[in-house]
Amino acid sequence: MNLIAKMKKQTGQIGQTAEAVNTLLPADALASLRQLIDPMRERMARYDEAIQALAIARARLLDLKELPPPDMTLAVERELLVGRGDVEALRAFDAEHGENLAAERAKRETLMREREELPARVQALETLIKKIAGEMKERIPDLLRAHELVTELFKPFAKEAFAAAQTYVDAARRAHTAAEALAKTVSAYRYDLFGDFKQIMAPELYGVRGRNVLPLGLPGIRHEEIERLNHALDDIDEDLYARLTSELDAAGLSGDQLRVYGPPAKDDSRRIYTPEHLTPGRIKQMPTPLRAAAAVETIHT
């Protein structure tokens, strides 16, 4: 039995299940829905992680272009002593400046390594992001099956709304019909003695409805009550929403809005977009490994 056929069978039992366990949505259907959604959420998390690392690496590349050449003052001074062959002066220099010389060398090597590795890091991250987007594209059929699944879950609510609407339409037609019949008996066309038409004199029993549930003018019912009812049609039931959300959360179906990124065409040379908020300041250190990218410290300039 395929998933949708299974859901149709389950949907027919929703009322019975809800009565038995006091839930609105079948647990097994929610489990099936989660199996379809979780792979996309996993790819979303990987995408966000990679795009954060890419934004950091790109920002660092800009920093490197603006940085002055590394300081080599101590290194050059020592090289001159070595070239001079003054052993005592060299020993004294190393004793006085050894730690600073090592720090200068380490800083220079780190900067050189960054300048060498960062372009490759950016390229590797762009390749990874395109790969993740390709995996997202492959999962779109699962997302469409999830759409079919929630459609089946929604059908009992749709049927309830349709049944209530049918009752409402029947009552509204009766009211409209009665208004036409009753108003006809007392409606009058008023003229002056010169044959000019002046006005129609008729009671307002069932006014113009438009897109409203009911027309704003109904004898015996306050205007505010009718207006409140009309507005309620486009509102949501907060209590029902909270109950459904609670059941979905319990089934592991909460979280951010799903996002799907499509891979670019092979001949598309445009640069992968990185949102500006990912790098509010210029990065002043080497990006950490991918899974710790979000922990990189930033200095705002």
Side-chain angles (χ1 to χ4, degrees):
M1 179 182 297
N2 63 38
L3 179 62
I4 302 305
K6 179 181 178 182
M7 272 308 307
K8 289 181 178 178
K9 182 177 180 181
Q10 292 168 344
T11 303
Q13 300 172 342
I14 283 182
Q16 184 178 359
T17 304
E19 183 177 356
V21 297
N22 197 31
T23 58
L24 297 170
L25 303 169
D28 51 353
L30 296 182
S32 298
L33 186 59
R34 182 173 178 178
Q35 289 177 358
L36 294 172
I37 295 300
D38 276 356
M40 189 66 79
R41 289 206 175 279
E42 184 269 338
R43 283 155 180 78
M44 278 175 54
R46 287 169 53 209
Y47 174 88
D48 289 343
E49 192 176 57
I51 207 72
Q52 172 77 52
L54 177 61
I56 290 171
R58 283 178 174 173
R60 181 56 178 167
L61 270 178
L62 293 176
D63 283 335
L64 292 178
K65 291 180 180 179
E66 299 173 2
L67 289 179
D71 186 13
M72 294 186 64
T73 302
L74 294 177
V76 168
E77 188 174 350
R78 190 179 189 281
E79 288 173 1
L80 293 174
L81 289 174
V82 171
R84 191 183 309 153
D86 190 337
V87 177
E88 291 300 324
L90 183 61
R91 184 181 296 114
F93 181 88
D94 286 344
E96 182 180 355
H97 301 291
E99 290 185 5
N100 291 335
L101 181 64
E104 182 186 88
R105 183 185 301 113
K107 185 176 181 180
R108 183 170 65 252
E109 290 174 352
T110 298
L111 186 59
M112 292 172 62
R113 185 171 61 253
E114 282 190 86
R115 283 179 168 154
E116 179 182 350
E117 293 182 357
L118 264 175
R121 175 182 290 272
V122 168
Q123 185 175 0
L125 284 167
E126 290 176 345
T127 300
L128 176 59
I129 288 168
K130 291 176 183 178
K131 179 176 180 291
I132 294 171
E135 294 176 5
M136 285 183 166
K137 182 178 179 181
E138 292 172 356
R139 285 287 176 175
I140 287 179
D142 284 350
L143 188 58
L144 297 178
R145 290 173 68 201
H147 290 184
E148 295 176 352
L149 190 52
V150 296
T151 298
E152 293 298 326
L153 288 172
F154 178 71
K155 282 183 178 179
F157 299 96
K159 290 177 180 178
E160 180 185 3
F162 183 81
Q166 187 63 63
T167 300
Y168 155 73
V169 168
D170 290 343
R173 287 180 64 192
R174 287 171 56 81
H176 196 181
T177 302
E180 290 292 322
L182 291 170
K184 184 179 180 180
T185 62
V186 294
S187 296
Y189 291 80
R190 189 168 72 86
Y191 300 87
D192 62 18
L193 295 181
F194 306 99
D196 294 325
F197 173 75
K198 293 299 183 182
Q199 69 178 122
I200 296 177
M201 301 175 62
E204 184 179 343
L205 302 180
Y206 196 90
V208 177
R209 181 175 56 84
R211 295 183 59 192
N212 294 323
V213 180
L214 290 172
L216 294 178
L218 285 176
I221 303 176
R222 294 174 56 209
H223 178 275
E224 293 80 4
E225 293 177 349
I226 298 174
E227 197 170 49
R228 185 163 49 248
L229 176 66
N230 287 333
H231 288 166
L233 181 63
D234 294 322
D235 291 338
I236 63 171
D237 184 327
E238 296 290 349
D239 292 336
L240 176 61
Y241 185 81
R243 184 175 173 186
L244 290 170
T245 300
S246 177
E247 292 185 22
L248 292 168
D249 288 346
L253 289 165
S254 59
D256 296 334
Q257 181 72 45
L258 285 170
R259 288 174 282 115
V260 181
Y261 297 91
K266 292 183 179 180
D267 59 349
D268 192 340
S269 60
R270 287 177 297 175
R271 173 175 156 138
I272 292 176
Y273 170 72
T274 52
E276 292 182 3
H277 73 274
L278 295 180
T279 51
R282 301 295 293 278
I283 308 305
K284 299 299 183 184
Q285 68 177 56
M286 183 71 176
T288 58
L290 180 59
R291 291 199 170 275
V296 172
E297 295 182 1
T298 61
I299 299 176
H300 299 274
T301 59

